[in-house]
Amino acid sequence: MATRLLTRRRARWPARFCLLALACECLSFAAADDNYTVKRNDTLTDLAHQRGLTVRELAERNGLAKTDKLRVGQKLIIPESGTLREEPASSSLLPKGLNKVRVDPGKWKYIVIHHSASPNASVKGMDYYHRVERHMENGLAYHFVIGNGHAMKDGEIAMGHRWTAQLDGGHLASEALNKRSIGICLVGNFDQERPTTKQMESLEALVGFLLDRCRLSPAAVKTHQQINPIYTRCPGRNFPGKRLLKELESEHGSGPSTTMVHSAAGPQALRQ
């Protein structure tokens, strides 16, 4: 009898230990959270970016939709960013090592989308052209290139040296804008054709990652035509810019537009 009683007590110890461990874990997560009272003009996007969170993380922690408007006096729980799961940068759509690049969130203000104007362009070919023909000492003018199934796999994202080394871009006719603009080039001529489905899927995944990592709103996403001081058709009449922006706003919320300052292109703008 005594032996049976001792066995039952021993069987209860692991269960009690597990409950105690679970309680401690819950308390540690609760302690990491912070409470915030909404003030005038606060938005989910602004609050999330100020605290290094994604709009989705902040919204889901408070049982809100990403597009919900806040009201003055509303109580929010602000989770500790380190306790949340990072966006899956190892996703099959994103290049390996993307989330390991150290980024200064204050450096980048825009994400600019281009087309190569050639359906057969390659990273090697564009790097040669920019380095040798355009005399850009850092080579490839863009930070990222997305393939269309010709010289690169359809939807493949190539991460350039300018991104891994966090160098200024060379894709705009303005030295000032190149210093704060991430350049993404989709291979193809979108005056004659449309981007492939896989290219657009990869573009949305990449831009979404960059918005979160650089703490930007979808308003920071521009086409070459929209932001360049000198008129250009890039990325072509068939590029679905409005649809892309709508998708990004649905996923990441909308935010105030970033002030755009155009400056005349100087000789250094072509030699970066």
Side-chain angles (χ1 to χ4, degrees):
M1 179 72 179
T3 303
R4 224 181 303 172
L5 182 60
L6 182 59
T7 302
R8 286 177 184 173
R9 287 178 177 174
R10 285 177 176 173
R12 290 174 186 161
W13 292 345
R16 289 175 179 172
F17 179 78
C18 290
L19 288 172
L20 180 60
L22 182 61
C24 290
E25 186 177 355
C26 291
L27 285 172
S28 66
F29 275 105
D33 290 344
D34 193 13
N35 294 318
Y36 179 80
T37 302
V38 174
K39 299 179 177 62
R40 187 178 180 183
N41 296 326
D42 278 343
T43 66
L44 279 173
T45 300
D46 288 343
L47 292 175
H49 292 168
Q50 288 167 12
R51 288 158 176 78
L53 303 168
T54 67
V55 178
R56 175 189 290 177
E57 288 169 343
L58 183 58
E60 288 182 352
R61 186 66 182 85
N62 290 276
L64 301 171
K66 297 187 293 292
T67 55
D68 283 352
K69 292 184 178 180
L70 302 177
R71 63 181 186 278
V72 175
Q74 184 175 353
K75 303 294 183 181
L76 296 179
I77 298 172
I78 309 295
E80 178 67 31
S81 60
T83 66
L84 295 169
R85 181 180 61 84
E86 290 188 5
E87 289 296 310
S90 58
S91 161
S92 59
L93 294 176
L94 299 177
K96 185 177 180 181
L98 179 60
N99 61 342
K100 295 181 180 179
V101 177
R102 297 188 65 178
V103 178
D104 177 4
K107 174 176 174 60
W108 305 109
K109 302 299 181 185
Y110 304 107
I111 299 172
V112 184
I113 301 168
H114 305 251
H115 71 166
S116 65
S118 168
N120 299 310
S122 67
V123 172
K124 185 176 181 180
M126 286 190 284
D127 178 72
Y128 177 87
Y129 174 72
H130 292 153
R131 190 180 300 276
V132 178
E133 301 293 332
R134 299 287 296 277
H135 306 293
M136 295 183 179
E137 60 184 85
N138 291 310
L140 183 67
Y142 312 107
H143 296 90
F144 300 92
V145 177
I146 302 179
N148 65 345
H150 291 269
M152 297 170 61
K153 293 179 181 179
D154 191 8
E156 177 187 358
I157 301 173
M159 180 167 53
H161 174 65
R162 288 183 189 261
W163 183 251
T164 56
Q166 291 293 283
L167 300 177
D168 298 348
H171 51 98
L172 297 171
S174 162
E175 183 177 4
L177 287 173
N178 276 326
K179 287 183 177 294
R180 46 191 176 154
S181 300
I182 302 168
I184 303 175
C185 180
L186 280 70
V187 176
N189 185 337
F190 304 143
D191 272 328
Q192 300 176 359
E193 58 194 4
R194 294 181 181 275
T196 69
T197 299
K198 288 185 177 181
Q199 278 185 306
M200 291 306 299
E201 289 174 352
S202 294
L203 178 63
E204 288 179 24
L206 176 59
V207 171
F209 176 86
L210 293 172
L211 289 177
D212 291 339
R213 178 56 64 92
C214 300
R215 301 178 189 175
L216 299 172
S217 76
V221 180
K222 308 291 182 184
T223 65
H224 188 188
Q225 185 182 66
Q226 289 174 324
I227 196 172
N228 203 53
I230 300 173
Y231 176 76
T232 174
R233 295 177 60 87
C234 179
R237 62 183 179 180
N238 293 318
F239 180 78
K242 290 183 179 179
R243 181 170 69 82
L244 173 65
L245 185 59
K246 186 176 181 180
E247 291 289 336
L248 293 173
E249 288 177 344
S250 174
E251 181 69 20
H252 299 273
S254 57
S257 298
T258 313
T259 303
M260 191 184 303
V261 180
H262 288 168
S263 62
Q268 287 183 319
L270 300 178
R271 294 191 173 90
Q272 293 178 355

